[in-house]
PDB file of all heavy atoms in Angstrom:
ATOM      1  N   LEU V 214       5.617  -9.304   0.244  1.00 98.00           N
ATOM      2  CA  LEU V 214       4.702  -8.365  -0.400  1.00 98.00           C
ATOM      3  C   LEU V 214       4.480  -7.176   0.531  1.00 98.00           C
ATOM      4  O   LEU V 214       3.845  -7.292   1.578  1.00 98.00           O
ATOM      5  CB  LEU V 214       3.368  -9.057  -0.700  1.00 98.00           C
ATOM      6  CG  LEU V 214       3.428 -10.220  -1.691  1.00 98.00           C
ATOM      7  CD1 LEU V 214       2.086 -10.949  -1.753  1.00 98.00           C
ATOM      8  CD2 LEU V 214       3.837  -9.738  -3.082  1.00 98.00           C
ATOM      9  N   PHE V 215       5.010  -6.031   0.142  1.00 98.00           N
ATOM     10  CA  PHE V 215       4.996  -4.842   0.983  1.00 98.00           C
ATOM     11  C   PHE V 215       3.838  -3.905   0.659  1.00 98.00           C
ATOM     12  O   PHE V 215       3.573  -3.591  -0.511  1.00 98.00           O
ATOM     13  CB  PHE V 215       6.298  -4.052   0.807  1.00 98.00           C
ATOM     14  CG  PHE V 215       7.473  -4.602   1.546  1.00 98.00           C
ATOM     15  CD1 PHE V 215       8.208  -5.669   1.014  1.00 98.00           C
ATOM     16  CD2 PHE V 215       7.870  -4.066   2.764  1.00 98.00           C
ATOM     17  CE1 PHE V 215       9.311  -6.172   1.690  1.00 98.00           C
ATOM     18  CE2 PHE V 215       8.967  -4.565   3.444  1.00 98.00           C
ATOM     19  CZ  PHE V 215       9.693  -5.629   2.912  1.00 98.00           C
ATOM     20  N   ASP V 216       3.188  -3.439   1.709  1.00 98.00           N
ATOM     21  CA  ASP V 216       2.321  -2.279   1.628  1.00 98.00           C
ATOM     22  C   ASP V 216       3.208  -1.047   1.408  1.00 98.00           C
ATOM     23  O   ASP V 216       4.427  -1.114   1.567  1.00 98.00           O
ATOM     24  CB  ASP V 216       1.533  -2.174   2.939  1.00 98.00           C
ATOM     25  CG  ASP V 216       0.719  -0.910   3.050  1.00 98.00           C
ATOM     26  OD1 ASP V 216      -0.056  -0.628   2.124  1.00 98.00           O
ATOM     27  OD2 ASP V 216       0.866  -0.200   4.071  1.00 98.00           O
ATOM     28  N   ILE V 217       2.597   0.092   1.098  1.00 98.00           N
ATOM     29  CA  ILE V 217       3.372   1.312   0.835  1.00 98.00           C
ATOM     30  C   ILE V 217       3.213   2.345   1.945  1.00 98.00           C
ATOM     31  O   ILE V 217       4.133   2.608   2.712  1.00 98.00           O
ATOM     32  CB  ILE V 217       2.988   1.917  -0.532  1.00 98.00           C
ATOM     33  CG1 ILE V 217       3.401   0.973  -1.666  1.00 98.00           C
ATOM     34  CG2 ILE V 217       3.665   3.284  -0.711  1.00 98.00           C
ATOM     35  CD1 ILE V 217       3.006   1.442  -3.054  1.00 98.00           C
ATOM     36  N   GLY V 321       7.845  -7.866  -3.722  1.00 98.00           N
ATOM     37  CA  GLY V 321       6.688  -7.401  -4.466  1.00 98.00           C
ATOM     38  C   GLY V 321       5.888  -6.413  -3.640  1.00 98.00           C
ATOM     39  O   GLY V 321       6.230  -6.105  -2.495  1.00 98.00           O
ATOM     40  N   LEU V 322       4.810  -5.911  -4.231  1.00 98.00           N
ATOM     41  CA  LEU V 322       3.928  -4.944  -3.572  1.00 98.00           C
ATOM     42  C   LEU V 322       2.534  -5.527  -3.408  1.00 98.00           C
ATOM     43  O   LEU V 322       2.069  -6.302  -4.255  1.00 98.00           O
ATOM     44  CB  LEU V 322       3.847  -3.657  -4.389  1.00 98.00           C
ATOM     45  CG  LEU V 322       5.138  -2.855  -4.526  1.00 98.00           C
ATOM     46  CD1 LEU V 322       4.991  -1.793  -5.610  1.00 98.00           C
ATOM     47  CD2 LEU V 322       5.534  -2.218  -3.197  1.00 98.00           C
ATOM     48  N   LEU V 323       1.896  -5.143  -2.327  1.00 98.00           N
ATOM     49  CA  LEU V 323       0.483  -5.469  -2.112  1.00 98.00           C
ATOM     50  C   LEU V 323      -0.118  -4.241  -1.442  1.00 98.00           C
ATOM     51  O   LEU V 323       0.015  -4.029  -0.241  1.00 98.00           O
ATOM     52  CB  LEU V 323       0.332  -6.717  -1.241  1.00 98.00           C
ATOM     53  CG  LEU V 323      -1.089  -7.222  -0.976  1.00 98.00           C
ATOM     54  CD1 LEU V 323      -1.914  -7.270  -2.257  1.00 98.00           C
ATOM     55  CD2 LEU V 323      -1.056  -8.601  -0.335  1.00 98.00           C
ATOM     56  N   THR V 324      -0.762  -3.399  -2.241  1.00 97.00           N
ATOM     57  CA  THR V 324      -1.111  -2.056  -1.807  1.00 97.00           C
ATOM     58  C   THR V 324      -2.475  -1.639  -2.319  1.00 97.00           C
ATOM     59  O   THR V 324      -2.904  -2.070  -3.396  1.00 97.00           O
ATOM     60  CB  THR V 324      -0.048  -1.048  -2.301  1.00 97.00           C
ATOM     61  OG1 THR V 324      -0.465   0.284  -1.994  1.00 97.00           O
ATOM     62  CG2 THR V 324       0.175  -1.158  -3.806  1.00 97.00           C
ATOM     63  N   GLY V 325      -3.126  -0.772  -1.561  1.00 96.00           N
ATOM     64  CA  GLY V 325      -4.389  -0.207  -2.006  1.00 96.00           C
ATOM     65  C   GLY V 325      -4.224   0.889  -3.029  1.00 96.00           C
ATOM     66  O   GLY V 325      -5.203   1.314  -3.658  1.00 96.00           O
ATOM     67  N   ASN V 326      -3.011   1.384  -3.214  1.00 97.00           N
ATOM     68  CA  ASN V 326      -2.767   2.373  -4.259  1.00 97.00           C
ATOM     69  C   ASN V 326      -3.037   1.782  -5.637  1.00 97.00           C
ATOM     70  O   ASN V 326      -2.663   0.628  -5.906  1.00 97.00           O
ATOM     71  CB  ASN V 326      -1.307   2.824  -4.232  1.00 97.00           C
ATOM     72  CG  ASN V 326      -0.979   3.717  -3.061  1.00 97.00           C
ATOM     73  OD1 ASN V 326      -1.205   4.915  -3.105  1.00 97.00           O
ATOM     74  ND2 ASN V 326      -0.436   3.131  -2.000  1.00 97.00           N
ATOM     75  N   ASP V 346       6.793  -6.651  -9.030  1.00 98.00           N
ATOM     76  CA  ASP V 346       5.408  -6.442  -9.466  1.00 98.00           C
ATOM     77  C   ASP V 346       4.541  -6.551  -8.222  1.00 98.00           C
ATOM     78  O   ASP V 346       5.051  -6.438  -7.110  1.00 98.00           O
ATOM     79  CB  ASP V 346       5.009  -7.468 -10.536  1.00 98.00           C
ATOM     80  CG  ASP V 346       3.913  -6.948 -11.471  1.00 98.00           C
ATOM     81  OD1 ASP V 346       3.112  -6.087 -11.039  1.00 98.00           O
ATOM     82  OD2 ASP V 346       3.856  -7.404 -12.621  1.00 98.00           O
ATOM     83  N   GLY V 347       3.255  -6.788  -8.391  1.00 98.00           N
ATOM     84  CA  GLY V 347       2.414  -6.931  -7.217  1.00 98.00           C
ATOM     85  C   GLY V 347       0.944  -6.790  -7.527  1.00 98.00           C
ATOM     86  O   GLY V 347       0.512  -6.862  -8.675  1.00 98.00           O
ATOM     87  N   GLY V 348       0.161  -6.592  -6.470  1.00 98.00           N
ATOM     88  CA  GLY V 348      -1.274  -6.356  -6.574  1.00 98.00           C
ATOM     89  C   GLY V 348      -1.569  -4.942  -6.128  1.00 98.00           C
ATOM     90  O   GLY V 348      -0.995  -4.459  -5.144  1.00 98.00           O
ATOM     91  N   PHE V 349      -2.504  -4.274  -6.835  1.00 98.00           N
ATOM     92  CA  PHE V 349      -2.740  -2.851  -6.638  1.00 98.00           C
ATOM     93  C   PHE V 349      -4.233  -2.560  -6.534  1.00 98.00           C
ATOM     94  O   PHE V 349      -5.062  -3.357  -6.979  1.00 98.00           O
ATOM     95  CB  PHE V 349      -2.147  -2.053  -7.806  1.00 98.00           C
ATOM     96  CG  PHE V 349      -0.689  -2.314  -8.030  1.00 98.00           C
ATOM     97  CD1 PHE V 349      -0.266  -3.324  -8.886  1.00 98.00           C
ATOM     98  CD2 PHE V 349       0.268  -1.564  -7.357  1.00 98.00           C
ATOM     99  CE1 PHE V 349       1.084  -3.587  -9.081  1.00 98.00           C
ATOM    100  CE2 PHE V 349       1.619  -1.810  -7.547  1.00 98.00           C
ATOM    101  CZ  PHE V 349       2.033  -2.823  -8.404  1.00 98.00           C
ATOM    102  N   ARG V 356      -9.618  -4.804  -0.874  1.00 96.00           N
ATOM    103  CA  ARG V 356      -8.225  -5.180  -0.620  1.00 96.00           C
ATOM    104  C   ARG V 356      -8.067  -6.692  -0.439  1.00 96.00           C
ATOM    105  O   ARG V 356      -7.031  -7.256  -0.803  1.00 96.00           O
ATOM    106  CB  ARG V 356      -7.707  -4.430   0.617  1.00 96.00           C
ATOM    107  CG  ARG V 356      -6.192  -4.525   0.758  1.00 96.00           C
ATOM    108  CD  ARG V 356      -5.681  -3.787   1.977  1.00 96.00           C
ATOM    109  NE  ARG V 356      -4.235  -3.728   1.947  1.00 96.00           N
ATOM    110  CZ  ARG V 356      -3.531  -2.631   1.751  1.00 96.00           C
ATOM    111  NH1 ARG V 356      -4.136  -1.486   1.553  1.00 96.00           N
ATOM    112  NH2 ARG V 356      -2.209  -2.666   1.736  1.00 96.00           N
ATOM    113  N   GLN V 358      -9.178  -8.968  -2.057  1.00 97.00           N
ATOM    114  CA  GLN V 358      -9.091  -9.661  -3.345  1.00 97.00           C
ATOM    115  C   GLN V 358      -7.719  -9.514  -3.996  1.00 97.00           C
ATOM    116  O   GLN V 358      -7.457 -10.137  -5.036  1.00 97.00           O
ATOM    117  CB  GLN V 358     -10.154  -9.103  -4.302  1.00 97.00           C
ATOM    118  CG  GLN V 358     -11.571  -9.195  -3.796  1.00 97.00           C
ATOM    119  CD  GLN V 358     -12.006 -10.626  -3.538  1.00 97.00           C
ATOM    120  OE1 GLN V 358     -11.763 -11.522  -4.355  1.00 97.00           O
ATOM    121  NE2 GLN V 358     -12.648 -10.849  -2.401  1.00 97.00           N
ATOM    122  N   LEU V 359      -6.833  -8.741  -3.397  1.00 98.00           N
ATOM    123  CA  LEU V 359      -5.582  -8.396  -4.067  1.00 98.00           C
ATOM    124  C   LEU V 359      -4.460  -9.410  -3.859  1.00 98.00           C
ATOM    125  O   LEU V 359      -3.530  -9.467  -4.655  1.00 98.00           O
ATOM    126  CB  LEU V 359      -5.102  -7.011  -3.601  1.00 98.00           C
ATOM    127  CG  LEU V 359      -6.050  -5.848  -3.883  1.00 98.00           C
ATOM    128  CD1 LEU V 359      -5.417  -4.540  -3.418  1.00 98.00           C
ATOM    129  CD2 LEU V 359      -6.408  -5.792  -5.361  1.00 98.00           C
ATOM    130  N   GLY V 360      -4.535 -10.202  -2.798  1.00 98.00           N
ATOM    131  CA  GLY V 360      -3.468 -11.169  -2.535  1.00 98.00           C
ATOM    132  C   GLY V 360      -3.251 -12.158  -3.665  1.00 98.00           C
ATOM    133  O   GLY V 360      -2.112 -12.312  -4.146  1.00 98.00           O
ATOM    134  N   PRO V 361      -4.298 -12.846  -4.126  1.00 98.00           N
ATOM    135  CA  PRO V 361      -4.110 -13.781  -5.240  1.00 98.00           C
ATOM    136  C   PRO V 361      -3.597 -13.105  -6.508  1.00 98.00           C
ATOM    137  O   PRO V 361      -2.838 -13.710  -7.276  1.00 98.00           O
ATOM    138  CB  PRO V 361      -5.516 -14.369  -5.441  1.00 98.00           C
ATOM    139  CG  PRO V 361      -6.173 -14.240  -4.110  1.00 98.00           C
ATOM    140  CD  PRO V 361      -5.655 -12.941  -3.553  1.00 98.00           C
ATOM    141  N   ALA V 363      -1.570 -10.444  -6.606  1.00 98.00           N
ATOM    142  CA  ALA V 363      -0.137 -10.208  -6.391  1.00 98.00           C
ATOM    143  C   ALA V 363       0.649 -11.502  -6.532  1.00 98.00           C
ATOM    144  O   ALA V 363       1.725 -11.526  -7.158  1.00 98.00           O
ATOM    145  CB  ALA V 363       0.091  -9.605  -5.010  1.00 98.00           C
ATOM    146  N   VAL V 382       2.988 -10.980   3.877  1.00 98.00           N
ATOM    147  CA  VAL V 382       2.487  -9.630   3.621  1.00 98.00           C
ATOM    148  C   VAL V 382       3.014  -8.738   4.741  1.00 98.00           C
ATOM    149  O   VAL V 382       2.880  -9.066   5.924  1.00 98.00           O
ATOM    150  CB  VAL V 382       0.948  -9.615   3.599  1.00 98.00           C
ATOM    151  CG1 VAL V 382       0.420  -8.189   3.478  1.00 98.00           C
ATOM    152  CG2 VAL V 382       0.426 -10.483   2.460  1.00 98.00           C
ATOM    153  N   ILE V 383       3.593  -7.600   4.381  1.00 98.00           N
ATOM    154  CA  ILE V 383       4.157  -6.680   5.368  1.00 98.00           C
ATOM    155  C   ILE V 383       3.368  -5.379   5.300  1.00 98.00           C
ATOM    156  O   ILE V 383       3.351  -4.705   4.266  1.00 98.00           O
ATOM    157  CB  ILE V 383       5.655  -6.421   5.109  1.00 98.00           C
ATOM    158  CG1 ILE V 383       6.435  -7.729   5.168  1.00 98.00           C
ATOM    159  CG2 ILE V 383       6.219  -5.443   6.121  1.00 98.00           C
ATOM    160  CD1 ILE V 383       6.981  -8.190   3.861  1.00 98.00           C
ATOM    161  N   ASP V 389      -4.229  -4.827   6.284  1.00 97.00           N
ATOM    162  CA  ASP V 389      -3.144  -5.657   5.768  1.00 97.00           C
ATOM    163  C   ASP V 389      -3.207  -7.058   6.382  1.00 97.00           C
ATOM    164  O   ASP V 389      -2.968  -8.060   5.697  1.00 97.00           O
ATOM    165  CB  ASP V 389      -1.791  -5.008   6.084  1.00 97.00           C
ATOM    166  CG  ASP V 389      -1.585  -3.698   5.367  1.00 97.00           C
ATOM    167  OD1 ASP V 389      -1.445  -3.721   4.136  1.00 97.00           O
ATOM    168  OD2 ASP V 389      -1.585  -2.649   6.034  1.00 97.00           O
ATOM    169  N   CYS V 392      -6.097  -8.863   4.812  1.00 97.00           N
ATOM    170  CA  CYS V 392      -5.767  -9.192   3.423  1.00 97.00           C
ATOM    171  C   CYS V 392      -4.904 -10.445   3.353  1.00 97.00           C
ATOM    172  O   CYS V 392      -5.126 -11.324   2.513  1.00 97.00           O
ATOM    173  CB  CYS V 392      -5.060  -8.007   2.783  1.00 97.00           C
ATOM    174  SG  CYS V 392      -4.490  -8.273   1.094  1.00 97.00           S
ATOM    175  N   ALA V 393      -3.910 -10.536   4.225  1.00 98.00           N
ATOM    176  CA  ALA V 393      -3.057 -11.725   4.262  1.00 98.00           C
ATOM    177  C   ALA V 393      -3.866 -12.956   4.619  1.00 98.00           C
ATOM    178  O   ALA V 393      -3.744 -14.017   3.982  1.00 98.00           O
ATOM    179  CB  ALA V 393      -1.920 -11.519   5.256  1.00 98.00           C
ATOM    180  N   PHE V 396      -6.006 -14.813   1.815  1.00 97.00           N
ATOM    181  CA  PHE V 396      -5.472 -15.791   0.855  1.00 97.00           C
ATOM    182  C   PHE V 396      -4.465 -16.743   1.492  1.00 97.00           C
ATOM    183  O   PHE V 396      -3.730 -17.452   0.802  1.00 97.00           O
ATOM    184  CB  PHE V 396      -4.936 -15.112  -0.410  1.00 97.00           C
ATOM    185  CG  PHE V 396      -3.620 -14.385  -0.300  1.00 97.00           C
ATOM    186  CD1 PHE V 396      -2.509 -14.824  -1.013  1.00 97.00           C
ATOM    187  CD2 PHE V 396      -3.493 -13.226   0.468  1.00 97.00           C
ATOM    188  CE1 PHE V 396      -1.307 -14.139  -0.957  1.00 97.00           C
ATOM    189  CE2 PHE V 396      -2.297 -12.530   0.524  1.00 97.00           C
ATOM    190  CZ  PHE V 396      -1.194 -12.992  -0.179  1.00 97.00           C
TER     191      PHE V 396
END
Side-chain angles (χ1 to χ4, degrees):
L214 296 172
F215 281 82
D216 173 53
I217 294 177
L322 295 167
L323 183 47
T324 174
N326 287 277
D346 207 332
F349 304 90
R356 193 180 189 111
Q358 303 299 315
L359 299 182
V382 174
I383 301 111
D389 294 291
C392 177
F396 74 115

